Amino acid sequence: MPESRTVALVTLGCARNEVDSEELAGRLEADGWKLVDDAGEADVAVVNTCGFVEAAKKDSVDALLEANDLKGHGRTQAVVAVGCMAERYGKELAEALPEADGVLGFDDYTDISDRLQTILNGGIHAAHTPRDRRKLLPISPAERQEAGASVALPGHGPTDLPEGVAPASGPRAPLRRRLDGSPVASVKLASGCDRRCSFCAIPSFRGSFISRRPSDVLNETRWLAEQGVKEIMLVSENNTSYGKDLGDIRLLESLLPNLADVDGIERVRVSYLQPAEMRPGLIDVLTSTPKVVPYFDLSFQHSAPNVLRAMRRFGDTDRFLELLDTIRSKAPEAGVRSNFIVGFPGETASDLAELERFLTHARLDAIGVFGYSDEEGTEAATYGDKLDEDVVAERLARVSRLAEELVSQRAEERVGATVRVLVESVESADGEDGVRGRAEHQAPETDGQVLLTSGEGLSVGRMVDAKVVGTEGVDLVAEPLLGSPEWSEEAGR
C-alpha cells in the first residue's frame, strides 16, 4: 500500500460520535493511513454523521456537500459518510446524496481501511439496507454479552492489543487514536438503549443496551491518562443502566472510585443519566467520591405528567424537584443540566405552565430546549393532536427565553464561590488573550465555561482554584487564587 494515503475525519453530533471517530482513526492509522486535520489535504474525507433530529441531519448533509466541493480543487478524491445518519438510512442516503462516494454502516467499521481503499481506487461498496439493530441482541440483558461479540459496537474496541497496533501501544492500548490535544476525553461506557421513548429513534439504529466490561473502561482510561488527559467523561445512551447485562445494576458505583484512582486523572464526569433510574447509592458515589464531580446530566424532557406519559417516560414536577433536593442535600453546589421538548403532541397550555413551574424552581445550570418535530419510525410520529408549527415555534421561543434568564440567574448565585477550573485554552475564540476552562459543574460543549482574569503560570491541562467575581450569561468570570496549593503544585511542574 502507498505510504501517502491520507484521511481526515469530520465529526458531527454528540460525544459518543467523537469516541467512534477516534476508534476509526486508530484502525486507519494501524493500517498505514496518515491522519490529517484538513479535509482539503486528505485523499478521503470521512464525515461521521448525526441522525438524531432534523437539524442534525441537515448539518450532516451540509458537511458532506462541503467536503464534496473540495474534490477537483485539491487533494480530496473521495467523500465517505459514516455514523448514525449513514447507519440509519444506508442505501436511501446513498441514493439521495450521490455526492457521497460511499455510505458505510457500523458493520463496516472493522474493515474501514479496506472500504476506503476500495472507494479511493474507484470501486463501489454497496450501501447497506437499514435494519432494526435492537433485533441483533437477545431480549434478555443477561444473554447479551456473549452475543455482543458478533455484533458491531462502535467504541467497544478491545484494550489488550499487541505492540504496535495503536499509538503509544502497550498492554493497555485501546483501538483508538486521539484527534486533538484536549485535556478532556470521552470514554464509551455502553452502547444502545432499552428505553422506548416515543419521540426517539436512537435505539432502532444504535441497538439494545450493552455495557462495556469494567476492565476495558479502566484500561482505556489509563491509556488516556498516559496521553495527557486530565478529565474523562463517561458517555452512552443511558449510563444509569450500566452493568444490568453484566449481572450488577450497581456496577457504576464500584467502577467510579477505580477510575478516579487512575494516575493522572483529575476528574471523572458521568453524563446521560435517567431520572427514573437514579438510585440513592449512585447519588452517594457521585456526590462523595474524590475526583468524581457532583455533576448530574438528567434527561427530564418535560415535567407535566400527561406529556411524560405520552413520551413513555416517568415522573412529574414534584418528584423531579425532590430528586434535585436530595442531590443538593449531599452536594449543595452540584451541577445539573437537562434537555426539554416543547410542543409535543397533545401538550396543553397548562402542561407548558407546569414545565415552566419546574424550570423556575429547579435552579438548573444549563438547559437545552427543543421544539417537537416528527421523527420517522417513532411512535410519536403516529400521534394525532399535533400542534401547529407556529404554536411549537412560539412555545420554543418562550421557554428558551425563560431558560436563558434562569441559567444566568443560577450563574449569578455562584458569585463569591471558589471553583476548581481545568484550563482548556489560553487564547479566546476571537483571538484575544484570555484563559478559559471549566468548573466541576460544567461539561464540555453543552454547558458554560469559566473566563479567568489572569493566566499567569497557567497552561492547557492545569487545574487552578479560582474565586467567581462575575458572570457573562451562563459563563463565570473568576480570579485565580494564585496562592492555592493546587496552583502552586501545578505551576511548579
Side-chain angles (χ1 to χ4, degrees), residues 158-163 168-174 219 223 226:
T159 58
D160 55 354
L161 301 172
E163 188 80 24
S169 186
R172 293 193 299 266
N219 285 341
W223 179 81
E226 292 169 357

PDB file of all heavy atoms in Angstrom, residues 158-163 168-174 219 223 226:
ATOM      1  N   PRO A 158     -11.268  -3.549  21.736  1.00  0.00           N
ATOM      2  CA  PRO A 158     -10.504  -4.171  22.819  1.00  0.00           C
ATOM      3  C   PRO A 158      -9.414  -3.246  23.337  1.00  0.00           C
ATOM      4  O   PRO A 158      -9.002  -2.307  22.661  1.00  0.00           O
ATOM      5  CB  PRO A 158      -9.895  -5.404  22.148  1.00  0.00           C
ATOM      6  CG  PRO A 158      -9.806  -5.047  20.697  1.00  0.00           C
ATOM      7  CD  PRO A 158     -10.999  -4.186  20.437  1.00  0.00           C
ATOM      8  N   THR A 159      -8.942  -3.525  24.544  1.00  0.00           N
ATOM      9  CA  THR A 159      -7.886  -2.708  25.135  1.00  0.00           C
ATOM     10  C   THR A 159      -6.676  -3.547  25.507  1.00  0.00           C
ATOM     11  O   THR A 159      -5.886  -3.165  26.357  1.00  0.00           O
ATOM     12  CB  THR A 159      -8.404  -1.987  26.392  1.00  0.00           C
ATOM     13  OG1 THR A 159      -8.882  -2.969  27.323  1.00  0.00           O
ATOM     14  CG2 THR A 159      -9.509  -1.022  26.070  1.00  0.00           C
ATOM     15  N   ASP A 160      -6.496  -4.693  24.860  1.00  0.00           N
ATOM     16  CA  ASP A 160      -5.338  -5.528  25.137  1.00  0.00           C
ATOM     17  C   ASP A 160      -4.625  -5.875  23.829  1.00  0.00           C
ATOM     18  O   ASP A 160      -4.216  -6.995  23.590  1.00  0.00           O
ATOM     19  CB  ASP A 160      -5.758  -6.806  25.870  1.00  0.00           C
ATOM     20  CG  ASP A 160      -6.830  -7.586  25.117  1.00  0.00           C
ATOM     21  OD1 ASP A 160      -7.318  -7.077  24.091  1.00  0.00           O
ATOM     22  OD2 ASP A 160      -7.162  -8.709  25.549  1.00  0.00           O
ATOM     23  N   LEU A 161      -4.491  -4.861  22.968  1.00  0.00           N
ATOM     24  CA  LEU A 161      -3.908  -5.071  21.648  1.00  0.00           C
ATOM     25  C   LEU A 161      -2.397  -5.271  21.741  1.00  0.00           C
ATOM     26  O   LEU A 161      -1.737  -4.752  22.638  1.00  0.00           O
ATOM     27  CB  LEU A 161      -4.209  -3.864  20.754  1.00  0.00           C
ATOM     28  CG  LEU A 161      -5.701  -3.585  20.566  1.00  0.00           C
ATOM     29  CD1 LEU A 161      -5.902  -2.267  19.847  1.00  0.00           C
ATOM     30  CD2 LEU A 161      -6.339  -4.710  19.770  1.00  0.00           C
ATOM     31  N   PRO A 162      -1.809  -6.001  20.815  1.00  0.00           N
ATOM     32  CA  PRO A 162      -0.370  -6.242  20.837  1.00  0.00           C
ATOM     33  C   PRO A 162       0.429  -4.991  20.471  1.00  0.00           C
ATOM     34  O   PRO A 162      -0.117  -4.009  19.961  1.00  0.00           O
ATOM     35  CB  PRO A 162      -0.184  -7.340  19.787  1.00  0.00           C
ATOM     36  CG  PRO A 162      -1.342  -7.177  18.860  1.00  0.00           C
ATOM     37  CD  PRO A 162      -2.487  -6.734  19.727  1.00  0.00           C
ATOM     38  N   GLU A 163       1.719  -5.034  20.733  1.00  0.00           N
ATOM     39  CA  GLU A 163       2.621  -3.917  20.464  1.00  0.00           C
ATOM     40  C   GLU A 163       2.487  -3.444  19.026  1.00  0.00           C
ATOM     41  O   GLU A 163       2.449  -4.234  18.088  1.00  0.00           O
ATOM     42  CB  GLU A 163       4.069  -4.371  20.711  1.00  0.00           C
ATOM     43  CG  GLU A 163       5.089  -3.253  20.650  1.00  0.00           C
ATOM     44  CD  GLU A 163       5.141  -2.449  21.922  1.00  0.00           C
ATOM     45  OE1 GLU A 163       4.758  -2.986  22.979  1.00  0.00           O
ATOM     46  OE2 GLU A 163       5.546  -1.275  21.863  1.00  0.00           O
ATOM     47  N   ALA A 168       1.323   4.711  20.857  1.00  0.00           N
ATOM     48  CA  ALA A 168       1.872   4.519  22.195  1.00  0.00           C
ATOM     49  C   ALA A 168       1.438   3.172  22.750  1.00  0.00           C
ATOM     50  O   ALA A 168       1.060   3.039  23.907  1.00  0.00           O
ATOM     51  CB  ALA A 168       1.440   5.655  23.126  1.00  0.00           C
ATOM     52  N   SER A 169       1.452   2.181  21.874  1.00  0.00           N
ATOM     53  CA  SER A 169       0.854   0.896  22.216  1.00  0.00           C
ATOM     54  C   SER A 169       1.587   0.186  23.330  1.00  0.00           C
ATOM     55  O   SER A 169       2.786   0.257  23.470  1.00  0.00           O
ATOM     56  CB  SER A 169       0.815   0.002  20.977  1.00  0.00           C
ATOM     57  OG  SER A 169       0.124  -1.186  21.246  1.00  0.00           O
ATOM     58  N   GLY A 170       0.818  -0.511  24.113  1.00  0.00           N
ATOM     59  CA  GLY A 170       1.327  -1.302  25.207  1.00  0.00           C
ATOM     60  C   GLY A 170       0.222  -2.233  25.645  1.00  0.00           C
ATOM     61  O   GLY A 170      -0.780  -2.372  24.948  1.00  0.00           O
ATOM     62  N   PRO A 171       0.330  -2.834  26.786  1.00  0.00           N
ATOM     63  CA  PRO A 171      -0.696  -3.792  27.221  1.00  0.00           C
ATOM     64  C   PRO A 171      -2.052  -3.169  27.460  1.00  0.00           C
ATOM     65  O   PRO A 171      -3.048  -3.873  27.510  1.00  0.00           O
ATOM     66  CB  PRO A 171      -0.101  -4.367  28.523  1.00  0.00           C
ATOM     67  CG  PRO A 171       0.888  -3.336  28.975  1.00  0.00           C
ATOM     68  CD  PRO A 171       1.450  -2.757  27.728  1.00  0.00           C
ATOM     69  N   ARG A 172      -2.103  -1.818  27.614  1.00  0.00           N
ATOM     70  CA  ARG A 172      -3.389  -1.184  27.873  1.00  0.00           C
ATOM     71  C   ARG A 172      -3.906  -0.402  26.671  1.00  0.00           C
ATOM     72  O   ARG A 172      -4.921   0.271  26.764  1.00  0.00           O
ATOM     73  CB  ARG A 172      -3.276  -0.231  29.081  1.00  0.00           C
ATOM     74  CG  ARG A 172      -3.033  -0.925  30.397  1.00  0.00           C
ATOM     75  CD  ARG A 172      -3.266   0.042  31.538  1.00  0.00           C
ATOM     76  NE  ARG A 172      -2.368   1.174  31.494  1.00  0.00           N
ATOM     77  CZ  ARG A 172      -1.207   1.238  32.146  1.00  0.00           C
ATOM     78  NH1 ARG A 172      -0.806   0.220  32.851  1.00  0.00           N
ATOM     79  NH2 ARG A 172      -0.463   2.318  32.084  1.00  0.00           N
ATOM     80  N   ALA A 173      -3.200  -0.410  25.565  1.00  0.00           N
ATOM     81  CA  ALA A 173      -3.558   0.465  24.446  1.00  0.00           C
ATOM     82  C   ALA A 173      -4.888   0.072  23.820  1.00  0.00           C
ATOM     83  O   ALA A 173      -5.074  -1.075  23.432  1.00  0.00           O
ATOM     84  CB  ALA A 173      -2.464   0.435  23.388  1.00  0.00           C
ATOM     85  N   PRO A 174      -5.819   1.002  23.703  1.00  0.00           N
ATOM     86  CA  PRO A 174      -7.091   0.704  23.033  1.00  0.00           C
ATOM     87  C   PRO A 174      -6.977   0.928  21.538  1.00  0.00           C
ATOM     88  O   PRO A 174      -6.001   1.505  21.051  1.00  0.00           O
ATOM     89  CB  PRO A 174      -8.044   1.725  23.655  1.00  0.00           C
ATOM     90  CG  PRO A 174      -7.168   2.917  23.894  1.00  0.00           C
ATOM     91  CD  PRO A 174      -5.808   2.366  24.253  1.00  0.00           C
ATOM     92  N   ASN A 219      -8.936   0.234  31.526  1.00  0.00           N
ATOM     93  CA  ASN A 219      -7.713   0.229  30.729  1.00  0.00           C
ATOM     94  C   ASN A 219      -7.663   1.398  29.759  1.00  0.00           C
ATOM     95  O   ASN A 219      -6.611   2.001  29.545  1.00  0.00           O
ATOM     96  CB  ASN A 219      -7.594  -1.092  29.959  1.00  0.00           C
ATOM     97  CG  ASN A 219      -7.194  -2.243  30.853  1.00  0.00           C
ATOM     98  OD1 ASN A 219      -6.674  -2.047  31.937  1.00  0.00           O
ATOM     99  ND2 ASN A 219      -7.461  -3.454  30.397  1.00  0.00           N
ATOM    100  N   TRP A 223      -4.908   4.475  29.564  1.00  0.00           N
ATOM    101  CA  TRP A 223      -4.223   4.865  28.331  1.00  0.00           C
ATOM    102  C   TRP A 223      -4.417   6.354  28.051  1.00  0.00           C
ATOM    103  O   TRP A 223      -3.471   7.059  27.677  1.00  0.00           O
ATOM    104  CB  TRP A 223      -4.744   4.024  27.172  1.00  0.00           C
ATOM    105  CG  TRP A 223      -4.112   4.361  25.854  1.00  0.00           C
ATOM    106  CD1 TRP A 223      -2.907   3.934  25.385  1.00  0.00           C
ATOM    107  CD2 TRP A 223      -4.660   5.206  24.829  1.00  0.00           C
ATOM    108  NE1 TRP A 223      -2.667   4.446  24.128  1.00  0.00           N
ATOM    109  CE2 TRP A 223      -3.718   5.236  23.773  1.00  0.00           C
ATOM    110  CE3 TRP A 223      -5.841   5.938  24.709  1.00  0.00           C
ATOM    111  CZ2 TRP A 223      -3.931   5.973  22.604  1.00  0.00           C
ATOM    112  CZ3 TRP A 223      -6.067   6.672  23.549  1.00  0.00           C
ATOM    113  CH2 TRP A 223      -5.107   6.679  22.509  1.00  0.00           C
ATOM    114  N   GLU A 226      -2.195   8.438  30.065  1.00  0.00           N
ATOM    115  CA  GLU A 226      -0.844   8.432  29.513  1.00  0.00           C
ATOM    116  C   GLU A 226      -0.708   9.403  28.344  1.00  0.00           C
ATOM    117  O   GLU A 226       0.399   9.869  28.044  1.00  0.00           O
ATOM    118  CB  GLU A 226      -0.470   7.014  29.065  1.00  0.00           C
ATOM    119  CG  GLU A 226      -0.312   6.032  30.217  1.00  0.00           C
ATOM    120  CD  GLU A 226      -0.196   4.595  29.734  1.00  0.00           C
ATOM    121  OE1 GLU A 226      -0.288   4.367  28.505  1.00  0.00           O
ATOM    122  OE2 GLU A 226      -0.026   3.696  30.582  1.00  0.00           O
TER     123      GLU A 226
END
